[in-house]
mmCIF file of all heavy atoms in Angstrom:
data_model
loop_
_atom_site.group_PDB
_atom_site.id
_atom_site.type_symbol
_atom_site.label_atom_id
_atom_site.label_comp_id
_atom_site.label_asym_id
_atom_site.label_seq_id
_atom_site.Cartn_x
_atom_site.Cartn_y
_atom_site.Cartn_z
ATOM 1 N N GLY A 525 15.415 2.609 -43.165
ATOM 2 C CA GLY A 525 14.155 3.302 -42.884
ATOM 3 C C GLY A 525 13.401 2.765 -41.689
ATOM 4 O O GLY A 525 12.221 3.090 -41.510
ATOM 5 N N ARG A 526 14.040 1.958 -40.867
ATOM 6 C CA ARG A 526 13.332 1.355 -39.726
ATOM 7 C C ARG A 526 14.231 1.402 -38.492
ATOM 8 O O ARG A 526 15.325 0.829 -38.486
ATOM 9 C CB ARG A 526 12.945 -0.087 -40.039
ATOM 10 C CG ARG A 526 12.092 -0.749 -38.965
ATOM 11 C CD ARG A 526 11.508 -2.046 -39.516
ATOM 12 N NE ARG A 526 10.822 -2.832 -38.527
ATOM 13 C CZ ARG A 526 9.586 -2.613 -38.100
ATOM 14 N NH1 ARG A 526 8.918 -1.586 -38.583
ATOM 15 N NH2 ARG A 526 9.014 -3.394 -37.207
ATOM 16 N N SER A 527 13.794 2.076 -37.456
ATOM 17 C CA SER A 527 14.560 2.194 -36.227
ATOM 18 C C SER A 527 14.132 1.148 -35.210
ATOM 19 O O SER A 527 13.025 0.594 -35.272
ATOM 20 C CB SER A 527 14.379 3.592 -35.611
ATOM 21 O OG SER A 527 14.900 4.586 -36.458
ATOM 22 N N TYR A 528 15.016 0.894 -34.279
ATOM 23 C CA TYR A 528 14.734 0.019 -33.150
ATOM 24 C C TYR A 528 14.468 0.916 -31.946
ATOM 25 O O TYR A 528 15.359 1.591 -31.447
ATOM 26 C CB TYR A 528 15.934 -0.896 -32.914
ATOM 27 C CG TYR A 528 15.836 -1.784 -31.704
ATOM 28 C CD1 TYR A 528 14.680 -2.508 -31.422
ATOM 29 C CD2 TYR A 528 16.925 -1.917 -30.838
ATOM 30 C CE1 TYR A 528 14.597 -3.331 -30.304
ATOM 31 C CE2 TYR A 528 16.863 -2.750 -29.727
ATOM 32 C CZ TYR A 528 15.704 -3.449 -29.472
ATOM 33 O OH TYR A 528 15.639 -4.269 -28.364
ATOM 34 N N ILE A 529 13.219 0.953 -31.498
ATOM 35 C CA ILE A 529 12.800 1.842 -30.410
ATOM 36 C C ILE A 529 12.293 0.992 -29.265
ATOM 37 O O ILE A 529 11.368 0.197 -29.434
ATOM 38 C CB ILE A 529 11.692 2.809 -30.874
ATOM 39 C CG1 ILE A 529 12.116 3.554 -32.146
ATOM 40 C CG2 ILE A 529 11.355 3.796 -29.766
ATOM 41 C CD1 ILE A 529 11.011 4.393 -32.754
ATOM 42 N N ARG A 530 12.895 1.170 -28.095
ATOM 43 C CA ARG A 530 12.495 0.342 -26.958
ATOM 44 C C ARG A 530 12.721 1.063 -25.639
ATOM 45 O O ARG A 530 13.461 2.037 -25.551
ATOM 46 C CB ARG A 530 13.220 -0.993 -26.958
ATOM 47 C CG ARG A 530 14.645 -0.990 -26.420
ATOM 48 C CD ARG A 530 15.624 -0.522 -27.432
ATOM 49 N NE ARG A 530 17.001 -0.878 -27.104
ATOM 50 C CZ ARG A 530 18.057 -0.376 -27.724
ATOM 51 N NH1 ARG A 530 17.889 0.504 -28.690
ATOM 52 N NH2 ARG A 530 19.269 -0.743 -27.390
ATOM 53 N N THR A 531 12.071 0.523 -24.616
ATOM 54 C CA THR A 531 12.246 0.964 -23.242
ATOM 55 C C THR A 531 12.757 -0.206 -22.425
ATOM 56 O O THR A 531 12.238 -1.317 -22.546
ATOM 57 C CB THR A 531 10.918 1.475 -22.655
ATOM 58 O OG1 THR A 531 10.588 2.734 -23.251
ATOM 59 C CG2 THR A 531 10.995 1.645 -21.154
ATOM 60 N N ASN A 532 13.769 0.048 -21.601
ATOM 61 C CA ASN A 532 14.313 -0.972 -20.701
ATOM 62 C C ASN A 532 14.118 -0.534 -19.254
ATOM 63 O O ASN A 532 14.435 0.601 -18.905
ATOM 64 C CB ASN A 532 15.814 -1.182 -20.929
ATOM 65 C CG ASN A 532 16.109 -1.973 -22.180
ATOM 66 O OD1 ASN A 532 16.124 -1.422 -23.270
ATOM 67 N ND2 ASN A 532 16.355 -3.264 -22.017
ATOM 68 N N LEU A 533 13.612 -1.430 -18.443
ATOM 69 C CA LEU A 533 13.485 -1.199 -17.010
ATOM 70 C C LEU A 533 14.095 -2.402 -16.298
ATOM 71 O O LEU A 533 13.621 -3.531 -16.471
ATOM 72 C CB LEU A 533 12.016 -1.042 -16.623
ATOM 73 C CG LEU A 533 11.676 -1.063 -15.131
ATOM 74 C CD1 LEU A 533 12.402 0.046 -14.388
ATOM 75 C CD2 LEU A 533 10.167 -0.944 -14.928
ATOM 76 N N THR A 534 15.155 -2.168 -15.541
ATOM 77 C CA THR A 534 15.795 -3.221 -14.758
ATOM 78 C C THR A 534 15.761 -2.814 -13.293
ATOM 79 O O THR A 534 16.141 -1.689 -12.957
ATOM 80 C CB THR A 534 17.251 -3.434 -15.216
ATOM 81 O OG1 THR A 534 17.273 -3.711 -16.617
ATOM 82 C CG2 THR A 534 17.890 -4.594 -14.465
ATOM 83 N N PHE A 535 15.307 -3.712 -12.432
ATOM 84 C CA PHE A 535 15.175 -3.338 -11.020
ATOM 85 C C PHE A 535 15.417 -4.548 -10.119
ATOM 86 O O PHE A 535 15.220 -5.697 -10.516
ATOM 87 C CB PHE A 535 13.792 -2.737 -10.739
ATOM 88 C CG PHE A 535 12.641 -3.704 -10.938
ATOM 89 C CD1 PHE A 535 12.075 -4.368 -9.862
ATOM 90 C CD2 PHE A 535 12.137 -3.931 -12.210
ATOM 91 C CE1 PHE A 535 11.026 -5.255 -10.055
ATOM 92 C CE2 PHE A 535 11.080 -4.818 -12.409
ATOM 93 C CZ PHE A 535 10.523 -5.481 -11.319
ATOM 94 N N ASP A 536 15.854 -4.259 -8.909
ATOM 95 C CA ASP A 536 16.031 -5.274 -7.889
ATOM 96 C C ASP A 536 14.653 -5.710 -7.401
ATOM 97 O O ASP A 536 13.880 -4.877 -6.923
ATOM 98 C CB ASP A 536 16.847 -4.679 -6.737
ATOM 99 C CG ASP A 536 17.144 -5.671 -5.631
ATOM 100 O OD1 ASP A 536 16.427 -6.685 -5.529
ATOM 101 O OD2 ASP A 536 18.087 -5.429 -4.865
ATOM 102 N N PRO A 537 14.302 -7.001 -7.499
ATOM 103 C CA PRO A 537 12.963 -7.433 -7.061
ATOM 104 C C PRO A 537 12.671 -7.083 -5.611
ATOM 105 O O PRO A 537 11.515 -6.850 -5.245
ATOM 106 C CB PRO A 537 13.003 -8.955 -7.263
ATOM 107 C CG PRO A 537 14.075 -9.185 -8.277
ATOM 108 C CD PRO A 537 15.098 -8.118 -8.051
ATOM 109 N N GLY A 538 13.711 -7.015 -4.783
ATOM 110 C CA GLY A 538 13.499 -6.692 -3.381
ATOM 111 C C GLY A 538 12.927 -5.303 -3.173
ATOM 112 O O GLY A 538 12.344 -5.019 -2.114
ATOM 113 N N PHE A 539 13.074 -4.435 -4.177
ATOM 114 C CA PHE A 539 12.510 -3.086 -4.086
ATOM 115 C C PHE A 539 11.002 -3.118 -3.875
ATOM 116 O O PHE A 539 10.420 -2.218 -3.262
ATOM 117 C CB PHE A 539 12.854 -2.305 -5.358
ATOM 118 C CG PHE A 539 12.101 -1.015 -5.522
ATOM 119 C CD1 PHE A 539 12.274 0.030 -4.629
ATOM 120 C CD2 PHE A 539 11.209 -0.840 -6.573
ATOM 121 C CE1 PHE A 539 11.575 1.227 -4.781
ATOM 122 C CE2 PHE A 539 10.506 0.344 -6.733
ATOM 123 C CZ PHE A 539 10.704 1.377 -5.830
ATOM 124 N N MET A 540 10.340 -4.193 -4.375
ATOM 125 C CA MET A 540 8.884 -4.248 -4.323
ATOM 126 C C MET A 540 8.338 -4.852 -3.032
ATOM 127 O O MET A 540 7.118 -4.851 -2.825
ATOM 128 C CB MET A 540 8.357 -5.054 -5.522
ATOM 129 C CG MET A 540 8.606 -4.399 -6.871
ATOM 130 S SD MET A 540 7.968 -2.700 -6.973
ATOM 131 C CE MET A 540 6.228 -2.950 -6.619
ATOM 132 N N ASP A 541 9.196 -5.372 -2.149
ATOM 133 C CA ASP A 541 8.715 -6.045 -0.939
ATOM 134 C C ASP A 541 7.776 -5.162 -0.128
ATOM 135 O O ASP A 541 6.687 -5.588 0.285
ATOM 136 C CB ASP A 541 9.901 -6.467 -0.062
ATOM 137 C CG ASP A 541 10.636 -7.670 -0.620
ATOM 138 O OD1 ASP A 541 10.102 -8.321 -1.544
ATOM 139 O OD2 ASP A 541 11.739 -7.964 -0.135
ATOM 140 N N HIS A 542 8.199 -3.933 0.106
ATOM 141 C CA HIS A 542 7.400 -3.024 0.936
ATOM 142 C C HIS A 542 6.041 -2.744 0.293
ATOM 143 O O HIS A 542 5.003 -2.747 0.977
ATOM 144 C CB HIS A 542 8.168 -1.723 1.149
ATOM 145 C CG HIS A 542 7.372 -0.654 1.818
ATOM 146 N ND1 HIS A 542 6.999 -0.721 3.148
ATOM 147 C CD2 HIS A 542 6.844 0.510 1.336
ATOM 148 C CE1 HIS A 542 6.297 0.353 3.450
ATOM 149 N NE2 HIS A 542 6.184 1.113 2.380
ATOM 150 N N TYR A 543 6.033 -2.516 -1.001
ATOM 151 C CA TYR A 543 4.798 -2.128 -1.680
ATOM 152 C C TYR A 543 3.825 -3.299 -1.831
ATOM 153 O O TYR A 543 2.610 -3.112 -1.870
ATOM 154 C CB TYR A 543 5.129 -1.527 -3.047
ATOM 155 C CG TYR A 543 5.953 -0.281 -2.939
ATOM 156 C CD1 TYR A 543 7.339 -0.319 -3.101
ATOM 157 C CD2 TYR A 543 5.371 0.945 -2.633
ATOM 158 C CE1 TYR A 543 8.104 0.833 -2.984
ATOM 159 C CE2 TYR A 543 6.122 2.095 -2.499
ATOM 160 C CZ TYR A 543 7.498 2.035 -2.677
ATOM 161 O OH TYR A 543 8.254 3.165 -2.538
ATOM 162 N N LEU A 544 4.356 -4.518 -1.919
ATOM 163 C CA LEU A 544 3.505 -5.688 -2.126
ATOM 164 C C LEU A 544 2.998 -6.294 -0.826
ATOM 165 O O LEU A 544 2.157 -7.191 -0.855
ATOM 166 C CB LEU A 544 4.275 -6.752 -2.920
ATOM 167 C CG LEU A 544 4.489 -6.447 -4.404
ATOM 168 C CD1 LEU A 544 5.568 -7.354 -4.986
ATOM 169 C CD2 LEU A 544 3.184 -6.611 -5.181
ATOM 170 N N SER A 545 3.494 -5.807 0.307
ATOM 171 C CA SER A 545 3.150 -6.438 1.582
ATOM 172 C C SER A 545 1.651 -6.408 1.872
ATOM 173 O O SER A 545 1.130 -7.287 2.564
ATOM 174 C CB SER A 545 3.923 -5.761 2.718
ATOM 175 O OG SER A 545 3.590 -4.377 2.802
ATOM 176 N N ALA A 546 0.948 -5.425 1.342
ATOM 177 C CA ALA A 546 -0.501 -5.314 1.582
ATOM 178 C C ALA A 546 -1.329 -6.082 0.557
ATOM 179 O O ALA A 546 -2.559 -6.116 0.658
ATOM 180 C CB ALA A 546 -0.918 -3.844 1.574
ATOM 181 N N PHE A 547 -0.671 -6.712 -0.420
ATOM 182 C CA PHE A 547 -1.384 -7.394 -1.508
ATOM 183 C C PHE A 547 -0.832 -8.815 -1.649
ATOM 184 O O PHE A 547 -0.007 -9.082 -2.524
ATOM 185 C CB PHE A 547 -1.233 -6.619 -2.810
ATOM 186 C CG PHE A 547 -1.606 -5.165 -2.707
ATOM 187 C CD1 PHE A 547 -0.627 -4.189 -2.608
ATOM 188 C CD2 PHE A 547 -2.935 -4.779 -2.690
ATOM 189 C CE1 PHE A 547 -0.964 -2.848 -2.511
ATOM 190 C CE2 PHE A 547 -3.292 -3.438 -2.583
ATOM 191 C CZ PHE A 547 -2.301 -2.469 -2.487
ATOM 192 N N PRO A 548 -1.272 -9.754 -0.803
ATOM 193 C CA PRO A 548 -0.661 -11.086 -0.794
ATOM 194 C C PRO A 548 -0.807 -11.869 -2.094
ATOM 195 O O PRO A 548 0.112 -12.584 -2.487
ATOM 196 C CB PRO A 548 -1.375 -11.797 0.367
ATOM 197 C CG PRO A 548 -2.615 -11.001 0.615
ATOM 198 C CD PRO A 548 -2.297 -9.604 0.244
ATOM 199 N N ILE A 549 -1.947 -11.740 -2.772
ATOM 200 C CA ILE A 549 -2.123 -12.490 -4.022
ATOM 201 C C ILE A 549 -1.228 -11.915 -5.113
ATOM 202 O O ILE A 549 -0.550 -12.656 -5.845
ATOM 203 C CB ILE A 549 -3.602 -12.471 -4.457
ATOM 204 C CG1 ILE A 549 -4.460 -13.218 -3.426
ATOM 205 C CG2 ILE A 549 -3.757 -13.112 -5.836
ATOM 206 C CD1 ILE A 549 -5.946 -13.179 -3.713
ATOM 207 N N LEU A 550 -1.187 -10.592 -5.208
ATOM 208 C CA LEU A 550 -0.299 -9.958 -6.177
ATOM 209 C C LEU A 550 1.160 -10.256 -5.818
ATOM 210 O O LEU A 550 1.996 -10.472 -6.702
ATOM 211 C CB LEU A 550 -0.537 -8.449 -6.207
ATOM 212 C CG LEU A 550 0.195 -7.662 -7.301
ATOM 213 C CD1 LEU A 550 -0.261 -8.099 -8.681
ATOM 214 C CD2 LEU A 550 -0.015 -6.165 -7.119
ATOM 215 N N GLY A 551 1.441 -10.279 -4.508
ATOM 216 C CA GLY A 551 2.795 -10.595 -4.070
ATOM 217 C C GLY A 551 3.203 -12.005 -4.447
ATOM 218 O O GLY A 551 4.350 -12.237 -4.841
ATOM 219 N N GLN A 552 2.269 -12.953 -4.330
ATOM 220 C CA GLN A 552 2.571 -14.329 -4.732
ATOM 221 C C GLN A 552 2.819 -14.406 -6.236
ATOM 222 O O GLN A 552 3.726 -15.105 -6.694
ATOM 223 C CB GLN A 552 1.424 -15.259 -4.355
ATOM 224 C CG GLN A 552 1.649 -16.725 -4.704
ATOM 225 C CD GLN A 552 2.820 -17.334 -3.959
ATOM 226 O OE1 GLN A 552 2.980 -17.121 -2.762
ATOM 227 N NE2 GLN A 552 3.660 -18.081 -4.661
ATOM 228 N N PHE A 553 2.016 -13.673 -7.016
ATOM 229 C CA PHE A 553 2.235 -13.632 -8.459
ATOM 230 C C PHE A 553 3.630 -13.085 -8.768
ATOM 231 O O PHE A 553 4.361 -13.642 -9.587
ATOM 232 C CB PHE A 553 1.176 -12.759 -9.130
ATOM 233 C CG PHE A 553 1.431 -12.507 -10.585
ATOM 234 C CD1 PHE A 553 1.048 -13.427 -11.547
ATOM 235 C CD2 PHE A 553 2.075 -11.342 -11.008
ATOM 236 C CE1 PHE A 553 1.303 -13.203 -12.901
ATOM 237 C CE2 PHE A 553 2.344 -11.111 -12.350
ATOM 238 C CZ PHE A 553 1.943 -12.048 -13.285
ATOM 239 N N PHE A 554 4.001 -11.987 -8.098
ATOM 240 C CA PHE A 554 5.303 -11.388 -8.358
ATOM 241 C C PHE A 554 6.431 -12.320 -7.940
ATOM 242 O O PHE A 554 7.449 -12.419 -8.626
ATOM 243 C CB PHE A 554 5.423 -10.055 -7.611
ATOM 244 C CG PHE A 554 6.740 -9.366 -7.842
ATOM 245 C CD1 PHE A 554 7.022 -8.782 -9.063
ATOM 246 C CD2 PHE A 554 7.704 -9.323 -6.843
ATOM 247 C CE1 PHE A 554 8.242 -8.145 -9.289
ATOM 248 C CE2 PHE A 554 8.924 -8.701 -7.049
ATOM 249 C CZ PHE A 554 9.193 -8.109 -8.272
ATOM 250 N N TRP A 555 6.264 -13.021 -6.820
ATOM 251 C CA TRP A 555 7.289 -13.969 -6.373
ATOM 252 C C TRP A 555 7.515 -15.032 -7.440
ATOM 253 O O TRP A 555 8.649 -15.401 -7.737
ATOM 254 C CB TRP A 555 6.866 -14.617 -5.052
ATOM 255 C CG TRP A 555 7.962 -15.429 -4.402
ATOM 256 C CD1 TRP A 555 8.845 -15.012 -3.464
ATOM 257 C CD2 TRP A 555 8.278 -16.807 -4.654
ATOM 258 N NE1 TRP A 555 9.692 -16.028 -3.110
ATOM 259 C CE2 TRP A 555 9.381 -17.146 -3.822
ATOM 260 C CE3 TRP A 555 7.759 -17.782 -5.499
ATOM 261 C CZ2 TRP A 555 9.956 -18.420 -3.811
ATOM 262 C CZ3 TRP A 555 8.334 -19.054 -5.500
ATOM 263 C CH2 TRP A 555 9.410 -19.362 -4.662
ATOM 264 N N ASN A 556 6.430 -15.534 -8.022
ATOM 265 C CA ASN A 556 6.561 -16.529 -9.082
ATOM 266 C C ASN A 556 7.165 -15.933 -10.349
ATOM 267 O O ASN A 556 7.906 -16.599 -11.068
ATOM 268 C CB ASN A 556 5.194 -17.151 -9.387
ATOM 269 C CG ASN A 556 4.795 -18.202 -8.376
ATOM 270 O OD1 ASN A 556 5.180 -19.351 -8.458
ATOM 271 N ND2 ASN A 556 4.034 -17.785 -7.373
ATOM 272 N N LEU A 557 6.823 -14.666 -10.628
ATOM 273 C CA LEU A 557 7.420 -13.989 -11.773
ATOM 274 C C LEU A 557 8.931 -13.868 -11.588
ATOM 275 O O LEU A 557 9.701 -13.989 -12.541
ATOM 276 C CB LEU A 557 6.803 -12.604 -11.926
ATOM 277 C CG LEU A 557 7.039 -11.858 -13.239
ATOM 278 C CD1 LEU A 557 6.293 -12.528 -14.376
ATOM 279 C CD2 LEU A 557 6.588 -10.409 -13.093
ATOM 280 N N TRP A 558 9.334 -13.650 -10.359
ATOM 281 C CA TRP A 558 10.737 -13.474 -9.997
ATOM 282 C C TRP A 558 11.488 -14.798 -9.990
ATOM 283 O O TRP A 558 12.548 -14.945 -10.586
ATOM 284 C CB TRP A 558 10.771 -12.803 -8.628
ATOM 285 C CG TRP A 558 12.086 -12.636 -7.950
ATOM 286 C CD1 TRP A 558 13.333 -12.872 -8.456
ATOM 287 C CD2 TRP A 558 12.284 -12.180 -6.602
ATOM 288 N NE1 TRP A 558 14.288 -12.596 -7.504
ATOM 289 C CE2 TRP A 558 13.676 -12.171 -6.368
ATOM 290 C CE3 TRP A 558 11.415 -11.779 -5.589
ATOM 291 C CZ2 TRP A 558 14.213 -11.788 -5.132
ATOM 292 C CZ3 TRP A 558 11.957 -11.394 -4.377
ATOM 293 C CH2 TRP A 558 13.340 -11.401 -4.157
ATOM 294 N N ARG A 559 10.904 -15.818 -9.355
ATOM 295 C CA ARG A 559 11.629 -17.060 -9.106
ATOM 296 C C ARG A 559 11.025 -18.292 -9.763
ATOM 297 O O ARG A 559 11.624 -19.370 -9.739
ATOM 298 C CB ARG A 559 11.697 -17.317 -7.599
ATOM 299 C CG ARG A 559 12.482 -16.264 -6.828
ATOM 300 C CD ARG A 559 12.479 -16.583 -5.340
ATOM 301 N NE ARG A 559 13.224 -15.625 -4.562
ATOM 302 C CZ ARG A 559 14.523 -15.719 -4.285
ATOM 303 N NH1 ARG A 559 15.208 -16.738 -4.776
ATOM 304 N NH2 ARG A 559 15.126 -14.806 -3.555
ATOM 305 N N GLY A 560 9.809 -18.160 -10.325
ATOM 306 C CA GLY A 560 9.133 -19.326 -10.869
ATOM 307 C C GLY A 560 9.567 -19.657 -12.288
ATOM 308 O O GLY A 560 10.511 -19.093 -12.831
ATOM 309 N N SER A 561 8.850 -20.603 -12.889
ATOM 310 C CA SER A 561 9.134 -21.032 -14.257
ATOM 311 C C SER A 561 8.195 -20.313 -15.215
ATOM 312 O O SER A 561 6.971 -20.467 -15.131
ATOM 313 C CB SER A 561 8.943 -22.544 -14.389
ATOM 314 O OG SER A 561 9.859 -23.236 -13.569
ATOM 315 N N LEU A 562 8.752 -19.523 -16.113
ATOM 316 C CA LEU A 562 7.943 -18.828 -17.107
ATOM 317 C C LEU A 562 7.640 -19.759 -18.269
ATOM 318 O O LEU A 562 8.526 -20.445 -18.774
ATOM 319 C CB LEU A 562 8.688 -17.596 -17.631
ATOM 320 C CG LEU A 562 9.076 -16.513 -16.628
ATOM 321 C CD1 LEU A 562 9.684 -15.331 -17.367
ATOM 322 C CD2 LEU A 562 7.884 -16.066 -15.815
#
């Protein structure tokens, strides 16, 4: 009586380079999300 319902999104982090170029603080956050220690 219980289903497993989820959404998966997998993407190349490099896809965001162009969009983040105008937002340096957000870009730094994303860089750490990509390569930093969680």
Side-chain angles (χ1 to χ4, degrees):
R526 185 167 173 80
S527 296
Y528 175 46
I529 307 173
R530 80 279 197 192
T531 288
N532 284 82
L533 168 59
T534 304
F535 64 98
D536 182 339
F539 168 64
M540 294 306 302
D541 285 348
H542 172 70
Y543 298 98
L544 287 164
S545 61
F547 308 102
I549 295 176
L550 187 63
Q552 181 63 44
F553 172 83
F554 181 72
W555 190 94
N556 281 277
L557 194 69
W558 174 8
R559 296 179 179 270
S561 297
L562 300 185

